[in-house]
Each structure stands twice: as structure tokens, then as C-alpha cells.
Amino acid sequence: MDNIVLENISPKYFTPRNIEQSEIWKKNIFFRKGNKILIVAPSGSGKSTLATAILGTHFEYEGEILYDRQAVKKLHLEKIVEHRKEGVSLLFQDVRLIKNLTVSENILLRIFNKDRKKFVPKMEEYAARLGIENLLHKKAENCSYGERQRSAIVRSLVNPTDFLIYDECFSHLDLNNKKMAFSLINEVSGESGSSVIFLS
């Protein structure tokens, strides 16, 4: 996927504060693959609603979201799911690891039906960069929230999509871990040519 376009979108069932002053809602926005975007907005402004709409998990908005000129609302569910494998992914605020799987099992879910062995060295390298290499065989439910956030960041990068969306995913990281995570995301996205959209 080379671009994602927001065409005059606004939420259907709630009105974010200051929507008229928003630089996203009710505007035409063009996200090009390879670009890095930071969207800063206060709580209650609809950041998560925007993120999940771009991912195609709901259509509760006016206007259109386009993947390479195709309206997401008109795509078959199977096509949307296909886009999530290679085109666009979202690291949710609540990270969404499967609690009874180990950290490594959670991370490797992101590679789908590809050869897992090829991705293990990359997973181990990224985990070491974020200081969680000793947690790879630990169940997610036994990790702290900060450890789960770092694990989810590794998952997002082990097989990166064209567009990587991060919805306030650093909330439980201290400054040093934030710097390391940001550096890794920046480096991997640069190598893969992915676009990064940070919501904060």
C-alpha cells in the first residue's frame, strides 16, 4: 500500500472537543508510505477512534478513508484483513497480547504463515534492544504492563506493514525506554520503508 487518504472524515456518534479547530477531522489528509507523522491531541479528541477507523475495524464515521484510492467502507472484510497483514497495522493502547501465550509466541503471531525461523533472530535482536530478551519465554500475563508494551512494539516491528500506527503505546515506559523504543521504531521503519503514524 502506498498511501492512505482521509477525505473529510468525522465521527458519527460523538463530537470531539474542538472538532472545528482540528487539523484531522473534516480535512483532507494524505499519508504517503515512508513518511513519519505525529498527531498530538488531548484526551477525548478521538485519537483511538481515528486509529481504529484507519485500521478498518469500524465505519462509524462520515467521509471516506482510502487505501490506494479504494474506499475502505466498500472493501470486503477479507480484503481489509489482507491489508492488515502487509498494509496497515495498529499497536493499540491496551497492547492486546494474548495473556496465556509467551512473549515470543505473541510476537511471532505477527508473521502469520511465513517461516518463523527466519524471524526469530530479528525478534531476539529487537527484544534485546528493548531489554526484554529474558522475557521471551515468559507468559504475557506474568509481565508488567511496561514489559507488555515493549513486547507489543517488538511484535509491530518483526514483520512491519507499510503503515505502522502507534496509539499512545509508550504510556507505561520511562524516559530511557521511550527513547530506545522510538529509536528502534525509527530505524526499522527506515529500513522497511514503512510510514509511522504516532498518536499522542
Side-chain angles (χ1 to χ4, degrees):
M1 189 189 311
D2 291 322
N3 57 70
I4 296 175
V5 177
L6 313 182
E7 284 189 344
N8 199 35
I9 65 166
S10 61
K12 270 185 183 176
Y13 299 115
F14 83 101
T15 304
R17 287 176 286 174
N18 304 319
I19 191 168
E20 297 305 325
Q21 289 77 39
S22 170
E23 295 182 27
I24 296 291
W25 299 121
K26 296 187 175 181
K27 299 287 189 300
N28 292 322
I29 308 292
F30 189 90
F31 298 131
R32 186 189 306 277
K33 184 182 175 185
N35 289 353
K36 293 182 172 56
I37 299 104
L38 173 63
I39 299 173
V40 180
S43 297
S45 57
K47 295 189 294 291
S48 295
T49 299
L50 173 67
T52 50
I54 293 174
L55 187 65
T57 60
H58 70 83
F59 309 119
E60 307 303 323
Y61 56 87
E62 305 289 348
E64 294 286 359
I65 295 175
L66 309 178
Y67 293 165
D68 288 339
R69 299 184 181 181
Q70 292 182 305
V72 178
K73 288 177 184 174
K74 295 177 182 172
L75 292 175
H76 191 279
L77 178 59
E78 288 182 6
K79 189 67 178 174
I80 293 174
V81 171
E82 190 178 306
H83 277 299
R84 289 180 198 157
K85 291 181 181 177
E86 303 291 338
V88 58
S89 63
L90 167 62
L91 200 165
F92 293 88
Q93 270 185 302
D94 59 3
V95 303
R96 300 196 180 183
L97 296 186
I98 298 174
K99 291 182 179 180
N100 61 351
L101 295 183
T102 65
V103 167
S104 64
E105 288 169 336
N106 271 286
I107 292 170
L108 293 174
L109 287 174
R110 179 66 226 154
I111 67 168
F112 305 105
N113 57 355
K114 296 178 182 176
D115 183 359
R116 290 186 169 213
K117 290 179 183 175
K118 291 182 180 177
F119 292 84
V120 169
K122 188 182 293 186
M123 173 186 70
E124 292 174 342
E125 178 196 340
Y126 296 168
R129 291 271 301 270
L130 298 190
I132 56 166
E133 70 275 24
N134 60 332
L135 304 176
L136 288 174
H137 300 294
K138 191 173 180 179
K139 285 191 175 181
E141 63 186 349
N142 296 324
C143 295
S144 70
Y145 203 87
E147 290 169 343
R148 280 183 245 167
Q149 280 194 326
R150 284 180 280 163
S151 302
I153 290 168
V154 173
R155 182 181 60 187
S156 74
L157 296 173
V158 75
N159 181 28
T161 53
D162 297 324
F163 290 83
L164 303 164
I165 304 173
Y166 294 91
D167 184 12
E168 301 193 75
C169 60
F170 294 170
S171 60
H172 284 68
L173 303 185
D174 60 29
L175 183 58
N176 189 48
N177 277 311
K178 284 179 184 176
K179 287 180 178 176
M180 290 194 296
F182 181 80
S183 176
L184 183 61
I185 291 169
N186 197 42
E187 183 181 313
V188 174
S189 62
E191 291 171 353
S192 63
S194 301
S195 184
V196 180
I197 303 172
F198 282 110
L199 301 169
S200 179

